[in-house]
Structure formats: C-alpha cells, structure tokens
Amino acid sequence: MSERSALQRRIRAWLVLFIVCLVLSGLTAFPLVSELHWANALVDNFWLRRVGDGLEQADAQYPFLLYGTDWLAFAHLVIAVFFYGVHRDPVRNIWIVEAGMIACAGVIPLALICGPIRGIPFWWSVIDMSFGVFGVIPLLVLRRMIKRLEAMPA
C-alpha cells in the first residue's frame, strides 16, 4: 500500500469517527424526555432533575417547544452529510473541515453568552463548551492529514 493510499485510509477513518459522533449527537437530541427520565434514575442531581421536570412540563403542556430540539437534532444530521464531501475529495473539500472547526470554536462564546441568559449553571456551560473543544480535535487531525495529502505527488 502506498503512503498516499494509507493516508487516505486514515483520513476516512477519522471522518467516519467524526460523522458517527455527529449522528449520535443528533439522534440523542430527539428523545430528550425519556433520556432525562433515564438519567434521573441513575444520577441524583438537582440540575438534571430540574431539566427533567421542565421537559416533562413542556412535553405535557407545550410539546411544540420540543420541536426546537428536533431541529437541533436534524441540524447535526445535516452537518454530518456535508462531511461526506470530505470523504469524496478531501483536498478540494477541506473547507468543510475548516467550517467545522469554526463551528466548534463558536460553541464556546455561545455557551458563555447564552448560558447565563438562560439560567444555565456555569459548570453545565463548561460541559457544553467541551463539545467544541473535543469536537475540534479530530478536525485538527483531519486538516493536518489533508494538508499532507495535498502536498504529496499524485
């Protein structure tokens, strides 16, 4: 196996990991009420109980509010589809990886600004920010590998 094809295989493996994580993140945004029931059965935490109570009340009285999290889930799935372009042609579509990196960076100011406005505890905002921090790691690895691929002779 040539160095070029080995690098392409590694790029695709990192892409699969990132896409699977995006899809799982999206799919878990659909069943929030039942997920919070499950989480509250496992962990005794004031904030999780409060969120679970809020979701139950919203689901019972204002189920249309949860439609917003359906769109959140859908957005994750759509973003995952874009990364198929990187799979098809990593060098030409490196911009998708870079856009993903920008989105990961955007998680931090969003959590720091909107968290306090919405009454989210700071430690929960830190958890939210960690998605951007951990999400950018495979994208940085991908970008570095794609730049190496670009520099290789065809």
Side-chain angles (χ1 to χ4, degrees):
M1 179 183 310
S2 73
E3 184 181 349
R4 183 176 184 82
S5 62
L7 184 56
Q8 287 172 325
R9 286 174 51 95
R10 285 196 308 276
I11 288 169
R12 289 193 174 112
W14 278 94
L15 271 170
V16 167
L17 170 71
F18 190 77
I19 289 169
V20 166
C21 289
L22 266 175
V23 168
L24 289 175
S25 180
L27 292 176
T28 60
F30 284 113
L32 287 180
V33 175
S34 54
E35 285 175 345
L36 262 294
H37 280 283
W38 177 74
N40 281 316
L42 291 176
V43 178
D44 184 27
N45 179 277
F46 172 76
W47 176 248
L48 284 180
R49 277 193 316 278
R50 183 168 184 222
V51 171
D53 292 345
L55 281 172
E56 278 184 24
Q57 288 179 23
D59 190 36
Q61 298 174 17
Y62 310 104
F64 54 86
L65 290 175
L66 297 180
Y67 189 51
T69 60
D70 295 338
W71 280 103
L72 169 72
F74 179 71
H76 279 78
L77 301 177
V78 169
I79 293 166
V81 170
F82 278 98
F83 279 90
Y84 179 69
V86 181
H87 177 41
R88 289 184 57 199
D89 189 340
V91 173
R92 189 176 71 178
N93 293 315
I94 193 170
W95 67 271
I96 297 169
V97 173
E98 292 168 343
M101 293 166 65
I102 292 166
C104 286
V107 168
I108 294 169
L110 178 81
L112 289 172
I113 294 166
C114 295
I117 291 170
R118 302 290 183 205
I120 307 297
F122 180 73
W123 60 267
W124 194 266
S125 292
V126 170
I127 292 170
D128 289 341
M129 287 185 277
S130 74
F131 283 93
V133 172
F134 291 118
V136 80
I137 292 169
L139 295 177
L140 286 167
V141 171
L142 274 167
R143 187 178 185 286
R144 191 184 89 239
M145 288 190 295
I146 292 169
K147 286 296 190 180
R148 277 188 32 219
L149 181 67
E150 181 181 34
M152 286 182 167

